[in-house]
Amino acid sequence: MLSACGMSSYGQVDTKLEAEEAVYENCELTEDAKYSGGKALAMKESNGKITFTYNAAEAGKYTVYVGYDGQWGDKTVNISVNGSSSTFQTPVEGVGETEIGAFIMNAGDNTIVITPSWTWYLIDYIRITDGSSSAVEFDIAQAPVDANASEAAKKVYTFLYDNFGKKTISGIMTGDMGSANGDVTQHDDVKAVYEASGKYPALVGFDFMNATGLSADNNAWYKQYTDAAVELAKDIYRRGGLPAFTWHWRDPSRATDAFYCNDQDANPCTMRITDAMNADGSWDTSSDLYANIIKDIDTVADYFLALQELGIACIFRPLHEASGGWFWWGAGDAASYVKLYQLISEEMVNVKGVHNVIWVWNPCKAEDADWNPGEDYYDIASLDIYNNAGDYSSNYAAFDKIKNLTGGKKIIALSENGPIPDIDKEIDEEAVWSWWMPWYQTWGGGFVDKTSKEEWTKCMNDDRVITLEDLSAGWGTTAIQSTKVMESESSALYDLQGRLTKVPSKGVYIQNGKKIIVK
């Protein structure tokens, strides 16, 4: 049932749909005068569901708001509009309203579904206005924020800049390094994408999680893991692809070996950023904790410097999922997070001389304005979105929100995801992420399987999705062709520097995917 609520100051029709008048399942009807209409629906069960129907006069973008009662702290809520998924938070305890974003609706009936990601809150109503609440246009810098960026970093940034809005770069995160042998195409996570689609991803994610921490100096496996990841980063870059590093930063206090600060770890990290600060918010540079923080940053910086010496550039996403609260760096306040992000950048760039990094800021949600380290500190803003298996939404509502949060000044990426977004939807709904990167298939992740082989094949073979095969010319260093590609070019000859015009008189070359040695 629809109830018209008059006109807003922008001349938009404002329609409120009461939750108790929607179709609902496994929700508890609650009566209280503080709610619109005197009633709301309590989401206490994980299988709760509220389905609204909105009749739009014409097709277009409509902004959706949700009225809620956020009892017992912030909660994450799922919402979909005609199958296009998004999430939102109940950002304060008590009664409030939050803007979910602009959604594309059809003329006539549209289905809006709310389900719990977390439980124990109440949904009061949804409110819909026609049009988007923002008219932000992209105005992205044509050079990286590091004024002294290496030539390799400039090339990578230009590549990202030139393709943004037109094409999406395919990616995959790596987990287990048991199959790492310096050949990225043989890594189990990368192979899983190839087996699903017939193409290799152009971007491969790695983790510095074992580079620092309590066990980093005395556990051989930790060192081997990091070294294997770095070797694969070299290989993907030399093939023309993009290495992207995340850093699950283990407890710098050394009291634990955890990066989680909640019950996801049996011995969670209890330190907070402010433990390394003075009462006025400045760094306590005389403290052991501050010394450990700098030591850890320098350790990661040294890995980048080694890659820089080889002419290799990388994408780097430190302190990811900002305000989420599950990592120690996001468990405190926004101001200390910002200072830590800035410290990482300043120590790596200005002190250590790291200039081969494209910097990514990764808020937990697109409302994290207070957690923004400042536009001079990062090149790309990204979100992590995990839709249900088989949900190939473009996530355009989240795309618009992060665009608005950064004022249209940054490239936008989907830095972690489950199912890949459908490329047709990305283009049609104007949400072309710079790249997407499903989490790993190994270690029991199974995230490649969240996308069907049909969808993988469709997207990876679309000209608007960039794969490793598309980048085989390399970045100006050693270009290595995938043998899977070469097998289709029966007369092609290659050596480790690229394509040959004739068979060499001696040395090593590749023909028809086979290595040949002429002495």
Side-chain angles (χ1 to χ4, degrees):
M1 182 177 182
L2 309 184
S3 57
C5 299
M7 305 291 287
S8 75
S9 59
Y10 296 95
Q12 298 172 324
V13 174
D14 194 336
T15 303
K16 181 183 284 187
L17 307 179
E18 298 289 351
E20 65 271 17
E21 296 178 0
V23 176
Y24 57 90
E25 308 167 34
N26 303 309
C27 301
E28 183 179 298
L29 184 63
T30 303
E31 296 189 26
D32 194 307
K34 66 181 178 179
Y35 300 131
S36 172
K39 298 175 183 178
L41 296 177
M43 284 276 196
K44 297 181 180 180
E45 305 296 333
S46 60
N47 59 350
K49 182 178 182 181
I50 308 173
T51 303
F52 299 88
T53 300
Y54 174 65
N55 187 275
E58 58 185 21
K61 278 194 174 182
Y62 292 75
T63 299
V64 177
Y65 305 79
V66 174
Y68 62 87
D69 187 355
Q71 298 177 337
W72 304 291
D74 293 357
K75 300 294 174 63
T76 302
V77 188
N78 301 320
I79 185 169
S80 72
V81 177
N82 295 331
S84 180
S85 302
S86 187
T87 62
F88 67 93
Q89 305 259 151
T90 58
V92 296
E93 291 190 22
V95 174
E97 181 184 89
T98 187
E99 179 181 337
I100 311 307
F103 291 86
I104 299 169
M105 297 199 192
N106 307 313
D109 286 348
N110 296 269
T111 302
I112 302 167
V113 179
I114 293 177
T115 56
S117 179
W118 300 350
T119 53
W120 291 90
Y121 51 86
L122 294 95
I123 300 298
D124 190 357
Y125 60 85
I126 65 171
R127 186 168 64 86
I128 300 170
T129 62
D130 51 323
S132 174
S133 62
S134 173
V136 171
E137 299 294 335
F138 278 116
D139 182 20
I140 299 169
Q142 296 185 37
V145 292
D146 182 356
N148 297 311
S150 68
E151 288 304 310
K154 290 177 182 177
K155 286 181 181 179
V156 169
Y157 183 85
T158 299
F159 173 78
L160 297 171
Y161 177 89
D162 287 347
N163 283 286
F164 183 56
K166 308 177 188 75
K167 297 185 178 184
T168 289
I169 301 163
S170 60
I172 187 66
M173 181 63 182
T174 56
D176 183 27
M177 286 294 159
S179 59
N181 60 357
D183 182 345
V184 74
T185 65
Q186 296 305 305
H187 188 281
D188 285 342
D189 291 305
V190 178
K191 283 200 300 183
V193 174
Y194 182 84
E195 289 165 1
S197 68
K199 294 288 184 74
Y200 289 104
L203 177 147
V204 179
F206 307 102
D207 204 327
F208 279 128
M209 65 178 173
N210 295 321
T212 64
L214 186 63
S215 302
D217 294 333
N218 54 26
N219 187 312
W221 180 84
Y222 276 50
K223 182 71 164 59
Q224 291 166 2
Y225 184 94
T226 305
D227 288 347
V230 170
E231 289 304 308
L232 291 177
K234 295 175 185 177
D235 191 49
I236 187 68
Y237 186 86
R238 287 167 175 162
R239 292 174 184 272
L242 295 165
F245 281 93
T246 294
W247 184 15
H248 282 88
W249 189 352
R250 297 184 187 274
D251 185 353
S253 77
R254 309 295 192 259
T256 73
D257 209 20
F259 37 78
Y260 288 119
C261 61
N262 60 11
D263 58 8
Q264 294 184 70
D265 197 291
N267 187 24
C269 174
T270 59
M271 65 83 57
R272 297 294 179 265
I273 300 170
T274 50
D275 294 342
M277 292 179 170
N278 297 307
D280 64 356
S282 62
W283 291 109
D284 180 3
T285 57
S286 65
S287 69
D288 290 341
L289 179 56
Y290 178 82
N292 285 346
I293 287 172
I294 294 298
K295 179 183 177 182
D296 289 354
I297 296 170
D298 287 351
T299 296
V300 170
D302 287 342
Y303 281 108
F304 283 125
L305 286 172
L307 294 169
Q308 185 168 288
E309 284 292 316
L310 298 173
I312 294 173
C314 305
I315 292 166
F316 184 39
R317 181 178 64 129
L319 306 185
H320 62 293
E321 297 173 358
S323 70
W326 37 84
F327 298 125
W328 60 262
W329 53 84
D333 63 283
S336 59
Y337 170 92
V338 166
K339 288 183 178 180
L340 183 59
Y341 192 104
Q342 293 174 348
L343 179 67
I344 294 171
S345 172
E346 289 163 359
E347 177 69 16
M348 285 180 57
V349 175
N350 300 330
V351 178
K352 297 288 289 184
V354 172
H355 299 297
N356 62 329
V357 163
I358 304 300
W359 291 83
V360 179
W361 172 53
N362 180 218
C364 179
K365 54 186 184 296
E367 293 81 11
D368 280 352
D370 293 343
W371 298 74
N372 191 327
E375 63 183 63
D376 293 337
Y377 286 90
Y378 65 99
D379 302 290
I380 295 165
S382 73
L383 287 174
D384 298 352
I385 302 175
Y386 286 88
N387 293 337
N388 293 327
D391 181 349
Y392 311 127
S393 302
S394 71
N395 298 299
Y396 64 81
F399 184 96
D400 281 349
K401 289 169 77 172
I402 194 72
K403 173 185 175 184
N404 294 343
L405 177 65
T406 56
K409 295 181 178 180
K410 300 295 177 181
I411 294 169
I412 299 171
L414 188 57
S415 46
E416 291 183 28
N417 55 282
I420 63 174
D422 183 87
I423 186 59
D424 288 330
K425 292 180 179 179
E426 285 191 76
I427 298 295
D428 293 346
E429 296 167 355
E430 299 179 342
V432 184
W433 303 90
S434 178
W435 72 81
W436 40 250
M437 187 184 77
W439 210 236
Y440 44 68
Q441 177 77 358
T442 57
W443 279 346
F447 284 96
V448 172
D449 295 339
K450 304 292 183 183
T451 300
S452 70
K453 286 191 174 184
E454 291 76 15
E455 185 69 16
W456 270 116
T457 301
K458 170 193 171 182
C459 290
M460 292 288 280
N461 288 276
D462 191 294
D463 290 341
R464 298 165 297 180
V465 175
I466 298 171
T467 66
L468 186 58
E469 289 81 355
D470 298 322
L471 304 177
S472 58
W475 292 104
T477 58
T478 306
I480 304 173
Q481 279 276 24
S482 165
T483 57
K484 297 292 183 182
V485 179
M486 289 184 288
E487 287 168 1
S488 66
E489 302 180 60
S490 59
S491 62
L493 293 168
Y494 299 89
D495 68 2
L496 294 182
Q497 301 301 317
R499 191 159 183 161
L500 299 173
T501 57
K502 63 180 181 179
V503 174
S505 59
K506 65 178 181 177
V508 179
Y509 67 98
I510 298 171
Q511 185 174 27
N512 299 332
K514 296 180 180 180
K515 183 169 72 173
I516 300 171
I517 302 174
V518 181
K519 295 183 180 180

